[in-house]
Amino acid sequence: MDAKDRMILSLLQEDSTISVKDVAEKIGLTFTPTYERIKQLEKQNVIEKYVAILNREKLGLNIIVYCNIRLKEQSKKTLEDFENHIKKFDEVQEMISLSGEYDYMLKIIVKDINSYNDFAVNVISNSPNIWQYHSLIALSEVKKTTKYKID
């Protein structure tokens, strides 16, 4: 990946609807080589997909909860069972495996605190091999981005 590819990626991270023509102008290439570079980045799965980023608050999703999970056991099968169970729920935006005190951190987005309570009682506490969970409710989003720093 060279400097032109990194420039393309930076531009697409800012606005994935930008035209190839506009990308080409901004990076100092013509249309065809720019198009070929974008297609190659897609083929290499550097660009995984193009998505619309929605305003969660306008969708009535007002609560963000980070939920730290401890499992009773950490065998491969129990970890996979827990992961497969949690992946089914759209409320869970992110699921991260951790080292240290907790086994997982979930980012859960719901409409209100009652919805989170229902989710915690009916989903988290009934998940396979659950030992303990600890909820952290976000008061505000100070920084939110999907953009990676590309050197």
Side-chain angles (χ1 to χ4, degrees), residues 1-17:
M1 190 176 334
D2 65 10
K4 296 288 186 188
D5 288 335
R6 289 189 289 280
M7 291 170 70
I8 290 169
L9 294 171
S10 290
L11 290 166
L12 290 174
Q13 284 190 106
E14 287 291 326
D15 178 6
S16 68
T17 65

Side-chain angles (χ1 to χ4, degrees), residues 6 10 13 145-151:
R6 289 189 289 280
S10 290
Q13 284 190 106
T145 185
T146 60
K147 185 175 180 178
Y148 295 115
K149 180 182 178 193
I150 303 172
D151 291 326

Side-chain angles (χ1 to χ4, degrees), residues 104-126:
Y104 292 96
M105 180 186 291
L106 310 180
K107 181 180 181 182
I108 301 165
I109 299 182
V110 292
K111 68 179 185 171
D112 56 32
I113 200 67
N114 290 331
S115 298
Y116 177 67
N117 186 57
D118 289 344
F119 188 82
V121 169
N122 296 313
V123 175
I124 296 172
S125 64
N126 287 319

Side-chain angles (χ1 to χ4, degrees), residues 7-62:
M7 291 170 70
I8 290 169
L9 294 171
S10 290
L11 290 166
L12 290 174
Q13 284 190 106
E14 287 291 326
D15 178 6
S16 68
T17 65
I18 188 171
S19 70
V20 175
K21 179 181 174 251
D22 289 342
V23 171
E25 286 176 11
K26 290 179 188 261
I27 68 168
L29 291 176
T30 60
F31 179 91
T32 301
T34 302
Y35 177 81
E36 289 170 357
R37 284 174 176 263
I38 292 170
K39 288 299 166 197
Q40 186 63 29
L41 290 165
E42 292 170 350
K43 182 179 177 184
Q44 294 170 343
N45 214 26
V46 175
I47 299 172
E48 290 182 8
K49 61 182 170 179
Y50 299 93
V51 299
I53 298 173
L54 307 179
N55 183 319
R56 69 171 174 78
E57 291 170 326
K58 291 191 179 196
L59 297 171
L61 300 170
N62 299 307

